[in-house]
């Protein structure tokens, strides 16, 4: 196997090198006879080449639309000895600053160890140009930094796609002239997995990767110019180009000749060449090619490379200039529970998301937003999770589980399949969710499947047991929690508070021991969670292939009776409850986070939680993001709460949100409604976190929304637009007079009003418009529900009739509504939603 990998890499490298010879002439960029692309290191015989390639992992050479020609790659782990000495970096950046300054901040000593007061401070050199310098040890390898504009209102560069410079291969004492362009947080959001894996990446399929830029580790790129001559300058182009369709590749272009680039991740591409000093300045631009080699997109005008020092090395770090400067997407919000298909069992299931993705793809939508899907036990509220890791058993499809064992193990599952179909026939006609009955019926059926297959065969399922081993960090605690919960309910009248249980989480090892008396129940928990994992993962990967992202939901808290509180009580303030001020004061009943304790281990719990979520989701919504800045904390056994902390909100919010942002590459959207402190907006902007606007709760002018915004017509916590129109007649009249020309406000409202609302959101200035499916279907009379009151999902502060909503239309039927789907797609496409370039 190892030999075949080496041979495959050898063939790939030779093919890339051969292909590049036909693409580049010695006059690639500047028309100078000595301008030549640097070559990937070549060795004279096979054993040496094998030795050179051995440390490379396959993903470093993945992709083939552009070769590595011109870019020296030498794996760090192949170096004989660490480099020594320092190099000087001389920076220049153009930025208009009124009454302030610019600093370059990073974790290394050369960039102030993360302290903006100790970081290199730039001086103004006329106009909008700023210059600064620092010395970096060559052993630093890749040095990360970001620019901060220190003015009346500070501005920060994107933290999602961090700026970095690799100094490997630079001779001691040399200077690199660095030309940077400010990297705004707004387009940097496009570097998240929402876009890179789903919307643009379309599942990162091999068929697309074959024509994309090769993927290279940034650490492995060296400046060493193997064929440079005296008087030559090594020029490295670093381009931020996150908006690129699957199968397309990025190139540096001059006069029809193209220099290939390599992808180092998060939409950042690097190309490198050698230029005679006399050929500088020269003009160039960037171009995106499609899979067939045709031009998919190209910058409008040429750029000019120049130098102001005698340095032998020039780094140009900039962003692609798209003719259409911003990307805008459109999504649809629906709780998994509310999805209706012909295969579900009275409630939406994870596998139903595949049909939702089909409908989204057909109607011009790029994102599915769902509510939390963690286990909440018998509580139908998705915001009452008993685990931040485990998935809710109610979303499993037993029929698919039976088919799994029939196919994989040859087990006779006719009885289970018949039982599953009878439940579908029995429950799927209900217009609302019978939560308790469905949960009980599925539990009994899953137990029956387990018994039919047998414990021995389930334990012998290698893939399942490997998954159990990889996830035991949370899975064992969760299984022990579930087993102990069932016991406590039998004798403990305070079973709903796991801090009052007879056993502590420290005893979980005995509960989950394969030799223990509880192991059969433990294995049943593993069994159910494994199939939930498989089914949600299948749906997620399917949506990716369609170019559709799935956006999850992160509740602001966890319940007192939860795996998290039982296993890691020190992460929560158990003597207090979270809530909100008011008259009356709101007491939400769950313990606030103990952020001081969380930060002591680098927010490990958050990192584990979000890394787990990222298997399934490309984006997530933070419920009550204001709680990351401050929380209203109430003594557990009394009233009279207060905000904690009382001050320092910016630093607190930045520290907490940064900790969770760096745990994954998912796009983050914050629910920032209500009484929002002034510190919140700037921090969300700095981090590239989107805020939320509900049209009826602001001035309604969707064209005034900030770009990093989710524009929504309504949400799960309020009435859909058609119901709102009839419940709030004053609001309806104001909307009609403000946005529909005025006159007699119609009742109903007619479908053209619903179309107007969606059109306004599609044409808004927000990056995303994500609207509930109810508001989309109300655009078309024949697709409306019979009674708008039945379209409510939740009424905050009430339990009556909440969390029982099911969509009145089956997804299979919506997919076949061609006229409506074409109408919606045209509405979105006319507003440039979902258009990559």
């Amino acid at each position: 196997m190892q030999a075949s990998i080496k041979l495959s890499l050898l063939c790939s490298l030779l093919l890339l090198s051969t292909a590049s010879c036909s693409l580049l002439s010695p006059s690639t960029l500047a028309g100078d006879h000595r301008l030549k692309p640097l070559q990937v290191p070549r060795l004279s015989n096979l054993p040496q080449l094998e030795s050179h390639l051995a440390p490379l992992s396959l993903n470093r050479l993945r992709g083939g639309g552009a070769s590595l020609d011109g870019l020296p790659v030498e794996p760090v782990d192949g170096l004989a000895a660490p480099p020594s000495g320092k190099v000087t970096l001389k920076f220049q950046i153009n930025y208009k600053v009124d009454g302030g300054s610019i600093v370059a901040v990073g974790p290394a000593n050369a960039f102030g160890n993360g302290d903006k007061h100790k970081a290199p401070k730039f001086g103004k050199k006329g106009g909008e140009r700023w210059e600064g310098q620092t010395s970096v040890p060559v052993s630093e390898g890749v040095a990360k930094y970001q620019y901060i504009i220190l003015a009346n209102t500070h501005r920060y560069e994107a933290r999602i796609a961090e700026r970095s410079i690799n100094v490997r291969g630079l001779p001691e004492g040399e200077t690199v002239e660095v030309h940077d362009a400010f990297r705004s947080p707004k387009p940097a959001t496009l570097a998240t997995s929402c876009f890179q894996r789903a919307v643009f990446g379309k599942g990162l399929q091999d068929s697309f990767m074959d024509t994309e830029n090769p993927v290279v580790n940034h650490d492995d790129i060296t400046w060493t110019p193997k064929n440079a001559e005296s008087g030559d300058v090594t020029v490295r182009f670093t381009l931020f180009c996150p908006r690129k369709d699957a199968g397309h590749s990025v190139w540096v272009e001059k006069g029809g000749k193209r220099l290939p680039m390599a992808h180092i991740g998060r939409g950042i591409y690097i190309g490198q060449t050698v230029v005679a000093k006399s050929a500088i300045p020269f003009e160039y631009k960037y171009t995106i090619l499609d899979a067939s080699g045709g031009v998919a997109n190209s910058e409008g005008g040429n750029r000019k490379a120049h130098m102001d020092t005698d340095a032998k090395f020039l780094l140009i770090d900039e962003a692609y200039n798209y003719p259409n400067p911003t990307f805008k997407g459109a999504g649809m919000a629906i709780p998994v529970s509310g999805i209706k298909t012909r295969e579900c069992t009275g409630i939406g299931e994870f596998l139903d998301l595949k049909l939702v993705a089909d409908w989204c793809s057909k109607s011009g939508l790029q994102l599915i937003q769902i509510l939390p899907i963690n286990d909440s036990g018998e509580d139908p509220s998705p915001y009452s999770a008993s685990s931040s890791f485990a998935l809710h058993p109610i979303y499993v499809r037993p029929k698919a589980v039976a088919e799994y064992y029939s196919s994989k193990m040859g087990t006779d599952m006719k009885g289970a399949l018949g039982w599953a179909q009878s439940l579908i026939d029995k429950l799927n006609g209900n217009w609302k969710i019978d939560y308790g009955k469905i949960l009980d019926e599925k539990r009994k059926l899953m137990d029956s499947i387990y018994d039919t297959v047998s414990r021995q065969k389930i334990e012998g399922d290698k893939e399942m047991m490997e998954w159990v081993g990889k996830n035991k960090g949370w899975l064992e605690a969760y299984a022990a929690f579930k087993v102990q919960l069932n016991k406590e309910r039998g004798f403990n009248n305070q079973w709903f508070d796991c801090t009052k249980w007879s056993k502590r989480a420290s005893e979980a090892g005995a509960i989950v021991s394969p030799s223990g008396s509880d192991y059969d129940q433990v294995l049943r928990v593993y069994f159910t969670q494994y199939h939930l994992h498989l089914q949600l993962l299948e749906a997620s990967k399917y949506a990716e292939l369609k170019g559709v992202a799935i956006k999850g939901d992160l509740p602001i808290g966890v319940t007192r009776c939860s795996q998290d509180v039982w296993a890691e009580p020190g992460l929560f303030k158990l003597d207090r409850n979270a809530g909100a001020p008011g008259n009356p004061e709101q007491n939400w009943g769950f313990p606030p986070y103990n952020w001081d304790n969380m930060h002591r281990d680098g927010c490990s719990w958050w990192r584990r939680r979000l890394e787990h979520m990222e298997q399934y989701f490309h984006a997530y919504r933070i419920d009550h993001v204001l709680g990351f800045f401050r929380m209203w904390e109430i003594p557990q056994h009394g009233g009279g709460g207060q905000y904690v902390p009382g001050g320092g909100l910016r630093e607190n919010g930045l520290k907490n949100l940064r900790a969770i942002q760096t745990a994954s590459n998912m796009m983050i959207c914050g629910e920032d409604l209500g009484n929002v402190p002034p510190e919140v907006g700037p921090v969300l902007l700095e981090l590239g976190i989107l805020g939320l606007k509900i049209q009826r709760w602001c001035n309604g002018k969707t064209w005034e929304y900030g770009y990093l915004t989710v524009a929504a017509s309504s949400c799960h916590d309020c009435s859909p637009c058609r119901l709102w129109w009839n419940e709030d007649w004053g609001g309806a009249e104001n909307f009609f007079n403000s946005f529909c020309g005025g006159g007699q406000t119609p009742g109903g409202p007619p479908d053209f009003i619903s179309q107007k609302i969606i059109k306004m959101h599609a044409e808004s200035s927000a990056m995303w418009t994500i609207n509930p499916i109810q508001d989309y279907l109300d655009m078309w009379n024949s697709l409306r529900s019979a009674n708008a009151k039945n379209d409510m999902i939740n009424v905050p502060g009430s339990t009556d009739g909440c969390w029982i909503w099911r969509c009145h239309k089956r997804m299979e039927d919506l997919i076949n509504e061609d006229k409506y789907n074409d109408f919606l797609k045209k509405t979105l496409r006319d507003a440039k939603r979902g258009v990559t370039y």
Side-chain angles (χ1 to χ4, degrees):
M1 181 64 180
Q2 187 64 32
S4 66
I5 292 176
K6 289 178 180 177
L7 181 59
S8 173
L9 286 168
L10 167 63
C11 293
S12 299
L13 192 53
L14 291 176
L15 284 171
L16 291 173
S17 300
T18 303
S20 67
C21 292
S22 63
L23 290 168
L24 293 165
S25 72
S27 57
T28 304
L29 288 178
D32 177 69
H33 73 281
R34 292 191 299 152
L35 175 61
K36 40 198 173 295
L38 297 178
Q39 300 299 313
V40 175
R42 295 190 178 101
L43 301 176
S44 59
N45 56 56
L46 180 58
Q48 288 176 310
L49 187 53
E50 279 195 334
S51 174
H52 177 72
L53 289 176
L56 286 173
S57 62
L58 285 173
N59 73 331
R60 285 177 175 148
L61 288 177
R62 195 177 182 198
S67 77
L68 291 174
D69 204 0
L71 194 65
V73 176
E74 185 177 5
V76 172
D77 48 15
L79 292 178
S84 61
K86 289 187 175 183
V87 294
T88 299
L89 305 178
K90 290 191 174 182
F91 299 94
Q92 57 178 261
I93 183 171
N94 289 334
Y95 197 93
K96 185 177 181 179
V97 182
D98 294 325
S101 59
I102 296 179
V103 294
V105 183
N109 183 61
F111 293 99
N113 295 313
D115 186 342
K116 63 177 178 284
H117 301 294
K118 299 178 181 178
K121 189 173 182 179
F122 284 34
K124 194 170 186 179
K125 299 300 180 181
E128 298 178 0
R129 179 163 157 180
W130 295 77
E131 294 181 358
Q133 72 177 57
T134 191
S135 294
V136 178
V138 179
S139 59
E140 187 77 27
V142 175
K144 296 179 179 179
Y145 64 100
Q146 70 161 165
Y147 287 108
I148 301 179
I149 312 301
L150 301 177
N152 292 331
T153 301
H154 293 355
R155 286 207 63 195
Y156 295 77
E157 277 200 301
R159 292 175 180 260
I160 295 170
E162 288 184 311
R163 182 187 299 282
S164 60
I165 179 170
N166 187 343
V167 297
R168 282 193 61 223
L170 288 168
E172 181 179 359
E174 288 289 354
T175 296
V176 182
E177 186 173 322
V178 182
H179 298 181
D180 281 335
F182 190 81
R183 192 171 290 170
S184 169
K186 295 179 180 180
T189 304
L190 302 177
T192 60
S193 55
C194 177
F195 300 95
Q196 300 302 303
R197 270 173 47 201
V199 177
F200 303 147
K202 295 181 173 60
L204 305 179
Q205 302 169 66
D206 287 340
S207 58
F208 291 138
M209 298 298 288
D210 287 343
T211 56
E212 293 195 354
N213 301 80
V215 178
V216 177
N217 285 347
H218 196 190
D219 288 356
D220 294 343
I221 300 174
T222 173
W223 285 88
T224 306
K226 301 293 184 185
N227 53 353
E229 299 176 10
S230 176
D232 284 349
V233 175
T234 301
V235 181
R236 178 176 293 178
F237 302 92
T238 299
L239 178 70
F240 183 55
C241 183
R243 225 165 93 205
K244 182 182 69 62
D245 262 336
H248 293 189
S249 56
V250 187
W251 304 72
V252 187
E253 181 176 309
K254 163 61 170 72
K257 304 295 175 57
R258 295 177 181 131
L259 173 71
M261 306 189 83
H263 188 197
I264 63 169
R266 301 211 175 191
I268 299 173
Y269 298 82
I270 290 182
Q272 187 165 305
T273 192
V274 176
V275 182
K277 182 76 171 181
S278 59
I280 299 175
F282 61 84
E283 293 188 345
Y284 67 98
K285 67 177 180 180
Y286 299 103
T287 297
I288 299 174
L289 302 185
D290 61 25
S292 63
V295 175
N297 190 265
S298 186
E299 294 185 317
N302 285 345
R303 303 168 183 256
K304 181 175 285 188
H306 69 279
M307 290 192 76
D308 299 314
T309 69
D310 294 328
K312 297 177 182 177
F313 303 93
L314 172 64
L315 172 65
I316 303 172
D317 190 322
E318 52 202 351
Y320 189 91
N321 286 331
Y322 295 92
N324 174 21
T326 57
F327 172 85
K328 295 180 181 180
M332 180 269 288
I334 186 170
V336 172
S337 59
I339 304 169
K340 185 185 287 186
T341 71
R342 287 183 170 80
E343 290 295 314
C344 61
T345 315
I347 192 171
E349 296 160 345
F350 288 148
L351 288 174
D352 293 321
L353 287 166
K354 295 170 71 174
L355 284 174
V356 180
D358 285 336
W359 179 66
C360 287
S361 177
K362 194 168 184 179
S363 56
L365 298 161
Q366 298 84 46
L367 184 145
I368 304 165
Q369 176 176 304
I370 63 175
L371 296 181
I373 41 75
N374 294 107
D375 186 5
S376 62
E378 297 172 0
D379 190 334
S381 169
Y383 292 95
S384 298
S386 58
S387 172
S388 295
F389 296 85
L391 301 172
H392 203 309
I394 204 165
Y395 297 126
V396 74
R397 177 164 295 169
K399 185 176 180 181
V401 177
E403 290 169 346
Y404 171 93
Y405 290 106
S406 175
S407 173
K408 184 172 184 177
M409 297 183 178
T411 307
D412 183 358
M413 304 302 297
K414 291 179 183 176
L417 288 168
W419 187 351
Q421 188 59 51
S422 70
L423 287 181
I424 293 172
D425 297 340
K426 177 182 177 182
L427 299 170
N428 215 12
N430 295 343
W431 69 269
K432 63 181 180 179
I433 298 168
D434 191 341
Y435 188 89
K437 184 174 185 60
I438 294 168
L439 187 61
D440 185 55
E441 294 283 3
K442 284 196 175 186
R443 180 189 57 76
K444 290 187 288 188
L445 179 49
M446 289 295 287
D447 276 344
S448 176
I449 293 172
Y450 175 96
D451 292 334
T452 300
V453 177
S454 80
R455 170 176 166 174
Q456 182 181 6
K457 284 187 177 180
I458 288 172
E459 284 185 294
D461 187 337
K462 181 181 177 182
E463 286 81 8
M464 174 181 155
M465 297 313 293
E466 285 179 350
W467 178 83
V468 169
K470 290 177 181 176
N471 290 272
K472 68 178 183 178
W474 67 268
L475 186 59
E476 288 184 350
Y478 168 71
F481 169 82
K482 293 290 283 187
V483 169
Q484 191 61 30
L485 172 62
N486 287 334
K487 292 181 179 180
E488 297 286 337
R489 293 182 72 165
F491 64 84
N492 185 347
N493 61 9
Q494 291 187 304
W495 62 266
F496 46 84
D497 185 348
C498 61
T499 65
K500 307 287 179 60
W501 283 6
S502 61
K503 286 192 176 182
R504 298 285 181 258
S506 57
E507 301 172 80
I511 297 173
V512 303
S513 171
S515 60
S517 59
D518 295 316
Y519 190 66
D520 185 73
Q521 293 302 313
V522 167
L523 191 60
R524 289 174 191 267
V525 174
Y526 294 168
F527 160 79
T528 300
Q529 286 298 312
Y530 177 61
H531 287 286
L532 286 162
H533 159 74
L534 290 181
Q535 292 179 12
L536 181 54
L537 188 65
E538 179 181 335
S540 176
K541 296 302 181 186
Y542 183 87
E544 279 184 9
L545 299 178
K546 294 284 183 177
V548 176
I550 298 182
K551 178 183 173 186
D553 196 319
L554 194 72
I556 185 57
V558 298
T559 64
R560 288 185 176 275
C561 188
S562 65
Q563 164 208 335
D564 308 277
V565 170
W566 190 57
E568 302 179 76
L571 302 182
F572 307 92
K573 298 179 180 179
L574 297 177
D575 61 339
R576 307 179 200 179
N577 285 329
N583 187 18
E585 181 181 60
Q586 296 180 39
N587 189 327
W588 299 337
F590 59 80
Y593 297 125
N594 189 327
W595 282 106
D596 289 341
N597 285 353
M598 286 180 163
H599 281 292
R600 285 195 176 96
D601 68 354
C603 290
S604 170
W605 180 79
W606 282 106
R607 302 189 76 83
R608 287 180 276 122
R609 181 182 186 183
L610 290 161
E611 287 168 4
H612 185 71
M613 283 181 64
E614 196 170 19
Q615 298 175 89
Y616 317 114
F617 301 120
H618 311 95
Y620 63 93
R621 167 189 177 271
I622 300 178
D623 178 44
H624 192 65
V625 73
L626 308 185
F628 284 76
F629 293 80
R630 66 181 185 185
M631 180 62 76
W632 187 259
E633 297 185 1
I634 307 166
Q636 186 182 4
H637 301 296
Q642 62 181 351
Y643 278 120
V644 178
L649 296 195
R650 175 189 149 72
E651 292 74 17
N652 199 55
L654 187 62
K655 182 180 180 181
N656 295 341
L657 288 170
R658 182 60 175 154
I660 71 166
Q661 185 179 52
T662 56
S664 79
N665 194 35
M666 292 181 282
M667 180 180 74
I668 308 176
C669 306
E671 182 268 287
D672 57 344
L673 304 175
N675 184 19
V676 183
E679 295 88 347
V680 173
V683 169
L684 297 186
L685 177 62
E686 175 185 343
L687 296 176
I689 296 175
L690 282 71
L692 174 65
K693 291 286 188 184
I694 305 288
Q695 188 179 27
R696 74 188 68 162
W697 293 339
C698 56
N699 64 15
K701 298 178 180 179
T702 57
W703 59 89
E704 293 182 351
Y705 293 170
Y707 178 62
L708 289 184
T709 299
V710 173
S713 52
S714 63
C715 68
H716 66 277
D717 275 340
C718 69
S719 53
C721 288
R722 182 160 64 107
L723 180 58
W724 163 75
W725 190 272
N726 290 289
E727 289 182 338
D728 183 3
W729 190 245
E733 286 186 320
N734 181 62
F735 180 92
F736 189 77
N737 290 325
S738 299
F739 306 120
C740 301
Q744 182 66 38
T745 303
D751 57 3
F752 78 82
I753 294 293
S754 298
Q755 292 169 14
K756 175 67 175 180
I757 291 172
I758 295 299
K759 188 171 185 288
M760 287 184 70
H761 285 77
E763 294 176 348
S764 77
S765 47
M767 173 187 276
W768 283 100
T769 178
I770 304 175
N771 306 299
I773 192 171
Q774 301 96 310
D775 290 344
Y776 278 122
L777 297 185
D778 282 345
M779 297 170 70
W780 213 250
N781 267 331
S782 62
L783 297 181
R784 288 182 165 186
S785 64
N787 186 344
K789 291 184 178 180
N790 294 334
D791 290 341
M792 283 288 291
I793 295 175
N794 179 50
V795 179
S798 173
T799 57
D800 185 32
C802 296
W803 313 116
I804 62 172
W805 174 82
R806 297 187 76 196
C807 185
H808 61 287
K809 290 292 183 182
R810 289 189 174 94
M811 279 297 150
E812 296 94 337
D813 297 331
L814 284 179
I815 289 170
N816 292 323
E817 290 284 348
D818 292 337
K819 287 185 179 179
Y820 168 73
N821 294 334
D822 290 345
F823 173 80
L824 176 55
K825 188 172 187 176
K826 184 177 186 303
T827 299
L828 299 171
R829 189 52 61 109
D830 287 350
K832 303 298 183 184
R833 295 275 166 187
V835 178
T836 304
Y837 304 125

